[in-house]
Amino acid sequence: MVQSSAPGKIILFGEHAVVYGRPAIAVPLSDLRATAAVRHGRRSGVWLLAPDLGVEKRLAESDADDAFTLVVRLVREAATLEALPDMEIEVRSAIPIAGGLGSGAAISAAMVRALVEFLGLDHRFDDAKVSQFTYEVEKIHHGTPSGIDNTVVTYEQPVYFARRSPTNLVETFEVKRALRILVADTGVQSSTKIVVDDVRLRWRQQTAVFEKLFDLCGQSAERARKAIEEGDLYEIGHLMNVNHKALTEMTVSSVELDRLVERALSAGALGAKLSGGGRGGNMLALVTPELEHPVRKSLLDAGATAVFATTIS
Ligand code: PMV
């Protein structure tokens, strides 16, 4: 049996605007992972098991637009294999689904790596390929993904990212002072694809307004990168608030997200914002060691269904 894993992620700055070419910053959540295990099959065909989702199916009988099926097909085609051996692929994930934490991308990346190793194809599939396949699968989840999720979960490093043609801009950067971030779940599941599609509709209807908001998010990401490199926590917090306001104006926040953001700030967080597709899912609060406990308590009192902490360094 072979096993592989990939982390979840948070978008610190620039979600949505990144789809329209503005820069964004994302970081991996290395403690929150998806794993894929591949073993020889006991029955004929390729079987997909996702016990957490109650899924056990033969891929030959799945829809062509099923994400798991697509991962297997991409690997098989790239390896120019006519057929695959009988095998079982078991997927597990500690990353909440539809919460803006990149669960889909992490599962795809883990699956690609495990399959490639199981089939003995390692030498033909580098990280760039893993990222590219994950991107293809993300199209099912997102419609028009920017490419930031597959990049951060594949390379597992903080990235400054901008969608560019023919190749995206992907830069790593120094984190001068570690950032302690609380990630709080609204408990509301939200489909990134639906929100991204809705933002596109609104952008078509009010292009000038949305372009300005995207610019503001892109500038926040650019300034935040500098502040992270200089260790200026107050500036980072301020820019998170600016970014959240722009996302609210884009209509991608929600009552629950706004409530958690307000409560985190009243408890002293240096900054707070939604993260990912929005209209549900998770929000982030930047804290100092002294503030961590009171901010966590406020978030739970305000209805967060889960709060966990991560350090970006
Ligand atoms: O909801 P998530 O965590 O998958 O993040 C989506 C980020 C967006 O910018 C909204 C879409 C994208 O593809 O970049």
Side-chain angles (χ1 to χ4, degrees):
M1 185 190 78
V2 299
Q3 188 162 311
S4 200
S5 74
K9 67 99 224 303
I10 46 179
I11 298 190
L12 274 187
F13 290 95
E15 49 275 270
H16 288 290
V18 68
V19 176
Y20 298 80
R22 277 39 166 215
I25 296 177
V27 301
L29 290 174
S30 293
D31 298 339
L32 217 54
R33 309 187 74 84
T35 57
V38 184
R39 54 184 170 255
H40 291 288
R42 290 169 285 137
R43 44 199 164 173
S44 108
V46 178
W47 285 77
L48 190 283
L49 284 66
D52 307 336
L53 301 174
V55 171
E56 177 158 351
K57 61 184 177 187
R58 195 166 167 213
L59 288 191
E61 280 139 29
S62 305
D63 296 342
D65 66 352
D66 171 74
F68 301 119
T69 308
L70 181 56
V71 174
V72 176
R73 185 163 62 77
L74 287 168
V75 174
R76 182 176 59 73
E77 286 176 0
T80 56
L81 292 173
E82 283 285 308
L84 290 167
D86 295 341
M87 59 184 171
E88 281 184 359
I89 307 165
E90 187 170 322
V91 172
R92 288 179 189 270
S93 176
I95 310 162
I97 294 169
L101 299 181
S103 62
I107 289 172
S108 300
M111 269 182 78
V112 172
R113 287 207 173 110
L115 275 170
V116 159
E117 195 185 331
F118 182 80
L119 297 168
L121 304 165
D122 306 47
H123 54 291
R124 286 161 63 184
F125 291 81
D126 56 5
D127 280 345
K129 260 264 171 316
V130 174
S131 184
Q132 185 203 329
F133 286 175
T134 303
Y135 176 76
E136 290 304 317
V137 183
E138 281 295 279
K139 288 183 187 165
I140 294 178
H141 299 301
H142 283 194
T144 51
S146 61
I148 193 167
D149 281 14
N150 50 288
T151 303
V152 71
V153 307
T154 302
Y155 294 96
E156 205 168 341
Q157 284 186 49
V159 292
Y160 181 81
F161 175 96
R163 194 177 186 181
R164 295 275 182 274
S165 185
T167 36
N168 295 326
L169 171 83
V170 180
E171 290 176 355
T172 52
F173 51 90
E174 192 203 339
V175 180
K176 186 154 181 200
R177 264 177 84 182
L179 306 180
R180 187 73 171 161
I181 305 261
L182 293 179
V183 183
D185 196 341
T186 57
V188 178
Q189 292 200 342
S190 172
S191 151
T192 300
K193 181 167 170 19
I194 292 175
V195 186
V196 168
D197 286 351
D198 189 47
V199 168
R200 171 158 298 106
L201 194 72
R202 287 166 193 268
W203 168 71
R204 286 208 184 107
Q205 287 164 349
Q206 308 171 61
T207 308
V209 175
F210 272 69
E211 284 290 320
K212 262 207 185 114
L213 291 170
F214 296 153
D215 281 344
L216 191 58
C217 296
Q219 284 152 14
S220 302
E222 217 178 299
R223 285 169 59 192
R225 175 184 174 160
K226 191 162 171 282
I228 294 170
E229 286 171 336
E230 289 171 354
D232 187 345
L233 297 186
Y234 290 96
E235 174 71 355
I236 299 165
H238 165 70
L239 292 167
M240 286 170 78
N241 298 340
V242 170
N243 198 160
H244 183 73
K245 188 158 177 291
L247 289 163
T248 305
E249 285 172 33
M250 268 179 225
T251 76
V252 302
S253 191
S254 67
V255 176
E256 294 83 3
L257 283 164
D258 284 344
R259 186 189 313 128
L260 295 184
V261 165
E262 275 158 30
R263 293 289 284 275
L265 293 174
S266 342
L270 303 181
K273 67 180 278 291
L274 71 86
S275 181
R279 296 205 183 142
N282 285 269
M283 56 75 70
L284 314 175
L286 178 65
V287 293
T288 56
E290 311 77 63
L291 288 167
E292 185 167 334
H293 179 70
V295 173
R296 178 191 291 271
K297 187 171 178 311
S298 289
L299 288 167
L300 289 168
D301 289 348
T305 53
V307 179
F308 67 89
T310 187
T311 300
I312 301 156
S313 55

